[in-house]
Amino acid sequence: MQCDEIWSFVAVKQKNRVTSKRATDPTAGDCWTWTAIEAQSKLLISYLIGSRDAEYALILMDDLRDRLANRVKLTTDGHKAYLQAVEEAFGADIDYSMLIKLYGEPPSSPEAARRYSPSDCVGTRTEKITGNPDPKHVSTSYAERAKLTMRMAMRRFTRLTNAFSKKLDNHAHMVALYALWYNFVRIHKTLRMTPAMAAGIETRLWSMEDVVVLIDARSAKVSGETLVG
């Protein structure tokens, strides 16, 4: 298992929120999507949208634990919020390592100060946290590659564009639709099948028509519950 987080924003960037029309809106500003990827099947097992703090780290780990049948090897980046979250969710029943990236000194030019990407990565350091993780599988490469797929597949995740999400609910709906498409509809180029098929939880390739049927069924159920209520 590999976990990572991807940044986006809703309505306005966090640094501009105070002076914006959405200053009092708690849903506006930075928005992080936490992801948990299974490295062999590339299945997006769990995801969560919220802030990048310990509370959301624990929610993700609790959800991930409930979706797993066996003990797993887990790698996260060096975000400290994972430490307590993994311990509280899994205890000693996990083989957990952190992969910590080491960055060089940032360039001093004004252009470098305005860019999104961090300084050049000059190396990595691994730390065994719990259990007996296999050094050969201590990596976040698949999770990081999946983040690129998210940015390429969802326009609202693209940087330097006006296609950002204007409402948090719409952002969450789009990520939910993406997760379904990624796991069941999109054929992974390396696997030559969907992650769901590779993981053995589905035997056929879904189409977008299948997704629409699920959405319509859900909408009808919600409408019926509203009328009854």
Side-chain angles (χ1 to χ4, degrees), residues 4-10 14 27-35 47-53 56-57 60 77 79 82 116 147 150-151 157 159 168 171-172 175:
D4 206 354
E5 322 87 56
I6 179 171
W7 172 85
S8 57
F9 67 94
V10 174
Q14 194 71 29
T27 67
D30 287 353
C31 180
W32 291 85
T33 302
W34 302 68
T35 59
Y47 72 89
L48 178 66
I49 298 169
S51 61
R52 194 170 181 254
D53 58 28
Y56 282 90
L60 177 76
D77 60 19
H79 187 31
Y82 284 116
Y116 281 90
K147 291 197 308 184
M150 292 184 73
R151 289 207 186 277
F157 276 80
R159 297 181 171 121
L168 181 60
H171 190 83
V175 175

Side-chain angles (χ1 to χ4, degrees), residues 17-193:
R17 177 179 160 184
V18 176
T19 57
S20 73
K21 296 179 181 179
R22 303 285 289 273
T24 60
D25 184 355
T27 67
D30 287 353
C31 180
W32 291 85
T33 302
W34 302 68
T35 59
I37 299 287
E38 199 280 308
Q40 293 180 319
S41 67
K42 313 304 185 292
L43 187 71
L44 177 59
I45 294 182
S46 183
Y47 72 89
L48 178 66
I49 298 169
S51 61
R52 194 170 181 254
D53 58 28
E55 177 184 1
Y56 282 90
L58 180 57
I59 295 173
L60 177 76
M61 288 301 152
D62 281 343
D63 183 71
L64 178 61
R65 177 201 60 211
D66 292 342
R67 294 174 185 271
L68 297 174
N70 304 304
R71 183 185 180 109
V72 298
K73 301 183 185 300
L74 171 67
T75 306
T76 70
D77 60 19
H79 187 31
K80 293 182 179 179
Y82 284 116
L83 290 171
Q84 183 175 355
V86 173
E87 181 178 359
E88 290 191 22
F90 291 93
D93 191 25
I94 194 168
D95 300 309
Y96 173 39
S97 286
M98 270 189 166
L99 182 67
I100 302 171
K101 291 184 177 180
L102 307 175
Y103 295 97
E105 290 295 327
S108 57
S109 66
E111 292 78 12
R114 291 195 298 267
R115 71 181 183 179
Y116 281 90
S117 57
S119 304
D120 292 336
C121 180
V122 297
T124 60
R125 184 180 79 250
T126 61
E127 290 187 5
K128 184 178 78 170
I129 308 299
T130 306
N132 187 31
D134 186 345
K136 295 186 297 182
H137 298 293
V138 176
S139 171
T140 57
S141 297
Y142 293 122
E144 291 172 2
R145 180 57 182 84
K147 291 197 308 184
L148 175 60
T149 302
M150 292 184 73
R151 289 207 186 277
M152 297 295 289
M154 289 185 283
R155 182 66 173 164
R156 64 191 65 219
F157 276 80
T158 305
R159 297 181 171 121
L160 301 178
T161 176
N162 61 358
F164 56 87
S165 297
K166 310 308 186 292
K167 295 181 179 179
L168 181 60
D169 285 348
N170 292 344
H171 190 83
H173 292 326
M174 184 67 249
V175 175
L177 182 60
Y178 166 83
L180 193 61
W181 169 81
Y182 172 87
N183 281 334
F184 292 91
V185 179
R186 173 183 176 270
I187 296 178
H188 192 281
K189 290 183 179 180
T190 302
L191 299 173
R192 298 185 179 181
M193 62 181 70

